[in-house]
Amino acid sequence: MTIQNPPDPSAADLAKHLPAAIMRYLREADPQHKANAHDLLSAFAADATVIDDDGTTYTGHDEIHRWRENEASEYTYTVEIGHVEKFDDTHYVVTHHLEGDFPGGEVDIIYRFTLVDGLISRLEIVP
């Protein structure tokens, strides 16, 4: 008798099990979703740091809010989750595949999340 192995879960399936703060960020950062600044910022610790893909650092809710407002309006694109990885209860990596009207038109973006007390304390975005 052959025992069937269940199929490997897709990245989208794995993403459903990410911590609430990461799920909230991903939902609010999705260009297909009408973002809500309050919901987005509730995913971050008050003193959180975001390092954007251009190397710019944003610290605290005010700077993170301004960053997302500028980032969200700059280009039109679609997002597909390509990879999800949990290193421990505080460190996660999510890779998104973006296609849109930005230079190059297509890119994979890596999001490295660090959580403290269930909130994002650090987000590093790497192309």
Side-chain angles (χ1 to χ4, degrees):
M1 178 168 111
T2 303
I3 298 175
Q4 302 240 341
N5 290 329
D8 288 336
S10 70
D13 290 334
L14 291 171
K16 294 175 186 175
H17 302 287
L18 287 166
I22 295 174
M23 292 294 294
R24 193 173 316 123
Y25 170 79
L26 294 174
R27 181 185 65 242
E28 297 303 320
D30 186 327
Q32 305 306 312
H33 177 79
K34 184 168 172 53
N36 176 310
H38 173 73
D39 288 345
L40 175 76
L41 294 174
S42 70
F44 288 91
D47 61 348
T49 299
V50 173
I51 302 170
D52 198 0
D53 58 347
D54 66 4
T56 305
T57 300
Y58 304 90
T59 303
H61 281 185
D62 289 342
E63 289 184 13
I64 292 170
H65 180 254
R66 280 192 297 276
W67 163 70
R68 280 306 308 158
E69 289 292 310
N70 291 334
E71 193 75 16
S73 63
E74 194 170 352
Y75 300 109
T76 303
Y77 56 93
T78 60
V79 175
E80 183 179 330
I81 294 177
H83 179 77
V84 174
E85 191 166 354
K86 175 182 177 179
F87 291 95
D88 57 37
D89 288 340
T90 61
H91 295 92
Y92 296 81
V93 172
V94 176
T95 302
H96 273 170
H97 180 75
L98 281 62
E99 291 185 22
D101 61 1
F102 50 85
E106 192 172 336
V107 68
D108 288 330
I109 300 288
I110 300 167
Y111 296 87
R112 295 183 184 133
F113 294 95
T114 301
L115 302 179
V116 172
D117 296 329
L119 296 174
I120 301 167
S121 65
R122 180 180 173 91
L123 169 57
E124 184 178 355
I125 304 170
V126 183

